[in-house]
Amino acid sequence: MSTILYYSPKYIRPIISVCLVQYFKADIQIVDIDTDMENFARDFPLQQCPSLINRETGLYLTETISIQHYLIKTFSKYPEEVKKLLGSTILEEAEILRWDALSVSDFLNREVHYIKPLIGLLPYDADAHLQAKKQLDVVVQIFEDHLKNHQFLVSDHITLADLSVTGSFFFGFNFAYDEKWSQQYPNITRWYKEITKSPYVSNFFNDKQQTNTVPLPPQ
């Protein structure tokens, strides 16, 4: 029985793990949770993805960052590539983990709570939505300020930090971050466009376009 990576096209966090499996041509079956919900729910009671399992070998991994690291360290054929993606010094490793953790926790959570009410996936409350926007803006500005003086988030080349944060920014660029937003955040936009062309993730992003409109609050 092969190793299975559970994902869902409805969720953001699995994007980069799926991209890494495809880039490394790993011997892993990518399975949409909706097509195997009984087994998925039995093995992963939290029903979160990405999740990785091999029921014969006992491999069992949850949480986005742990799966990303496993995929890179297991399936990259080049030690130097592993160092570039995950860091070649203790400080680089820590910085990459810092941005990666921010991207799949505080940043994505704030982004979701701002955008989902606009597209009908969460109830809309005007006061709560305004607060969500303020909280999101704080994190977005952290990225914008950092990228003003850095081509990439860590070091002078693409690392897992760039890939992971780009995956989280996709939700915004897909639904809410239009050209007016890009004018306000030019450094993020420049960086995002560069990372999405990387061979690590280009298969996913090739047919994705930045939104032209921002959804209006429900009336």
Side-chain angles (χ1 to χ4, degrees):
M1 182 181 294
S2 64
T3 300
I4 293 174
L5 175 69
Y6 282 111
Y7 88 110
S8 171
K10 297 178 290 188
Y11 300 144
I12 298 299
R13 288 183 178 88
I15 289 174
I16 301 305
S17 294
V18 171
C19 287
L20 290 172
V21 168
Q22 295 170 337
Y23 174 80
F24 290 126
K25 297 180 172 59
D27 184 19
I28 292 177
Q29 184 181 1
I30 301 171
V31 175
D32 185 336
I33 59 175
D34 288 338
T35 67
D36 194 26
M37 182 55 72
E38 182 177 355
N39 288 322
F40 174 69
R42 181 196 64 215
D43 291 325
F44 299 98
L46 294 179
Q47 298 186 31
Q48 295 177 344
C49 55
S51 296
L52 194 67
I53 191 169
N54 187 309
R55 296 182 178 95
E56 289 185 352
T57 66
L59 173 65
Y60 182 95
L61 285 177
T62 63
E63 309 309 322
T64 303
I65 295 174
S66 70
I67 292 173
Q68 292 169 346
H69 278 244
Y70 174 83
L71 293 173
I72 291 170
K73 289 187 175 182
T74 302
F75 294 104
S76 175
K77 299 177 182 178
Y78 308 104
E80 286 306 310
E81 180 178 46
V82 175
K83 289 182 180 180
K84 283 188 174 182
L85 287 173
L86 299 183
S88 58
T89 67
I90 293 174
L91 181 56
E92 280 188 0
E93 291 176 1
E95 289 178 338
I96 291 166
L97 284 169
R98 167 204 174 193
W99 292 111
D100 199 351
L102 178 62
S103 75
V104 298
S105 57
D106 285 347
F107 171 55
L108 185 57
N109 290 338
R110 295 181 186 204
E111 191 175 52
V112 163
H113 281 92
Y114 168 65
I115 296 175
K116 279 192 173 183
L118 296 176
I119 58 177
L121 296 179
L122 282 177
Y124 179 81
D125 175 89
D127 292 337
H129 192 253
L130 179 60
Q131 185 62 26
K133 177 66 163 61
K134 290 179 179 179
Q135 292 177 344
L136 174 61
D137 286 348
V138 171
V139 186
V140 170
Q141 194 62 52
I142 291 172
F143 288 114
E144 178 68 13
D145 291 344
H146 182 79
L147 289 167
K148 181 178 181 179
N149 299 310
H150 300 83
Q151 182 177 1
F152 304 103
L153 289 172
V154 181
S155 194
D156 59 355
H157 55 263
I158 289 176
T159 67
L160 178 58
D162 299 290
L163 303 180
S164 185
V165 177
T166 296
S168 294
F169 262 106
F170 166 70
F171 190 60
F173 276 94
N174 196 45
F175 287 110
Y177 303 161
D178 61 357
E179 184 60 34
K180 183 178 179 180
W181 185 96
S182 288
Q183 292 173 5
Q184 185 177 355
Y185 300 106
N187 299 305
I188 292 174
T189 302
R190 179 269 309 162
W191 163 86
Y192 180 82
K193 289 180 177 179
E194 181 172 359
I195 304 304
T196 55
K197 294 176 183 177
S198 160
Y200 291 108
V201 296
S202 59
N203 280 348
F204 175 81
F205 285 101
N206 274 341
D207 61 349
K208 307 298 188 298
Q209 300 295 324
Q210 182 176 5
T211 185
N212 294 318
T213 58
V214 179
L216 297 175
Q219 298 299 317

